[in-house]
Amino acid sequence: MAEQRDDGKPGSELEPAGSNAPTPAGGLPALPQPSGAPASPEQPPMDPAQLEQFRQFQQFQDYLRFTQSQQGNQPAPPPDAGLVQAPPSQPAPQQGGAQPPMIPPGYQLVPAERRRAPKWVSWLGKKVIAWVLALVILGVAGTWLYNHFFPNDSGKTSAQLAQEGGGKYQTNHILSTSPYEAVREVYDAVAQNLVPQACGRMDEPIQQKFAQDLGYADCQVAVHELNRKVTNKNKYAESMPSYVSEPVPGDRFTISSCQFGIEGGPALGAFTVQKVEKGQWLITAHTNEPTPCPAPTPTTR
């Protein structure tokens, strides 16, 4: 039952002695405040600088979530729920828009460090590049050497071919020291389609006469066309002997192709050879012979 108060008014409960807590208008007692907290029930306003910093932090997190969603990654976690959300000073950008949120001042994105390839991959790549470069250099050098020692004869005149093949016999030992070998080398060069080696055995004026005697425009054309008529290169090149047992009749004489019976290709007529500087033999004249050649006369080879 209710107890009677000292002032004569009934009360629902007895208040504990010594309690001075104020009773709010609603009739409920005020909540206890934590130790050290201000006595005012309202929280003091935040500093404007802190609000601006917090807003920039929120914008930065929005930008991170946008970039991660564009890359297919999980968006960044929302800001801590325990923080006080400050009202934005401007509308927040839409997440699905075409333009990403602006990076707030004072923040920057640091690109993720790219993984470096293993050392053995780098070493192997360097070796492969080195081998490729070496092969290219060898190919270029090989082509140059081939063109240097086996030049292309197209476009060269008979005078140029003579200069390359036999035009310098006065100072160089480039001709044969045997008169029969000098003629045999012409047959061998025709069999191999080697223009400088064939025309270079002849004196320059004789190169043109040799071609005209056989019905061609110049010595170069003659060698190419005669080569087409060769049916057996070995027999053709060896039809003319390198030497004979008979003594050389002098420093200038004529060697007949029909005398030795040319096989494997066309006979090239009679060549007059002459001894020149350094004991070499140069072809200094040419004449046609019957086609086909008559039966060869017996001779000692």
Side-chain angles (χ1 to χ4, degrees):
M1 47 187 302
E3 296 180 1
Q4 189 71 24
R5 298 180 58 179
D6 293 340
D7 56 358
K9 296 182 181 180
S12 59
E13 292 180 356
L14 291 177
E15 295 180 359
S19 174
N20 296 324
T23 304
L28 297 177
L31 296 176
Q33 297 296 325
S35 177
S40 175
E42 298 182 357
Q43 185 177 3
M46 295 181 66
D47 186 16
Q50 294 179 350
L51 288 176
E52 179 64 20
Q53 184 178 7
F54 180 77
R55 184 184 63 80
Q56 293 178 0
F57 176 73
Q58 282 186 318
Q59 291 182 358
F60 181 70
Q61 285 192 328
D62 291 341
Y63 186 84
L64 289 181
R65 285 195 295 272
F66 175 81
T67 56
Q68 290 178 354
S69 63
Q70 293 295 323
Q71 298 175 357
N73 298 332
Q74 294 296 330
D80 190 357
L83 297 178
V84 178
Q85 300 292 331
S89 59
Q90 59 184 359
Q94 298 181 358
Q95 295 294 331
Q99 298 294 333
M102 295 180 61
I103 301 178
Y107 292 90
Q108 63 179 355
L109 292 179
V110 180
E113 183 179 359
R114 299 179 60 184
R115 294 185 60 185
R116 302 182 62 180
K119 292 184 177 180
W120 68 269
V121 174
S122 302
W123 177 85
L124 182 61
K126 293 179 181 179
K127 290 295 183 181
V128 171
I129 294 175
W131 276 107
V132 170
L133 292 177
L135 290 176
V136 171
I137 294 174
L138 288 177
V140 173
T143 303
W144 182 85
L145 290 174
Y146 180 85
N147 294 332
H148 178 73
F149 291 102
F150 303 98
N152 189 2
D153 300 329
S154 59
K156 296 181 180 179
T157 63
S158 298
Q160 290 174 327
L161 296 174
Q163 185 71 14
E164 294 176 358
K168 299 180 181 179
Y169 65 86
Q170 294 88 348
T171 57
N172 299 325
H173 193 183
I174 59 177
L175 300 176
S176 176
T177 56
S178 169
Y180 294 96
E181 176 65 14
V183 177
R184 192 201 70 82
E185 287 178 345
V186 175
Y187 277 90
D188 182 71
V190 170
Q192 305 297 330
N193 199 22
L194 301 176
V195 176
Q197 286 78 355
C199 301
R201 309 297 172 187
M202 311 175 195
D203 198 10
E204 185 175 350
I206 304 305
Q207 297 177 34
Q208 188 64 25
K209 187 175 186 305
F210 167 78
Q212 292 177 352
D213 289 346
L214 298 177
Y216 301 105
D218 56 36
C219 188
Q220 179 179 352
V221 176
V223 172
H224 290 323
E225 294 301 323
L226 292 170
N227 174 262
R228 297 174 181 270
K229 300 179 181 180
V230 176
T231 58
N232 191 311
K233 295 181 179 180
N234 291 333
K235 287 185 177 181
Y236 191 68
E238 300 299 331
S239 296
M240 181 68 61
S242 298
Y243 67 95
V244 296
S245 58
E246 299 174 357
V248 176
D251 291 343
R252 188 175 187 276
F253 66 101
T254 300
I255 299 176
S256 170
S257 297
C258 290
Q259 178 182 359
F260 298 97
I262 304 302
E263 300 179 4
L268 301 181
F271 297 89
T272 299
V273 294
Q274 181 175 344
K275 195 172 186 179
V276 293
E277 287 83 358
K278 300 183 178 299
Q280 303 172 96
W281 290 86
L282 178 68
I283 297 174
T284 56
H286 177 270
T287 56
N288 280 335
E289 291 187 311
T291 303
C293 288
T297 58
T299 184
T300 303
R301 296 190 180 185

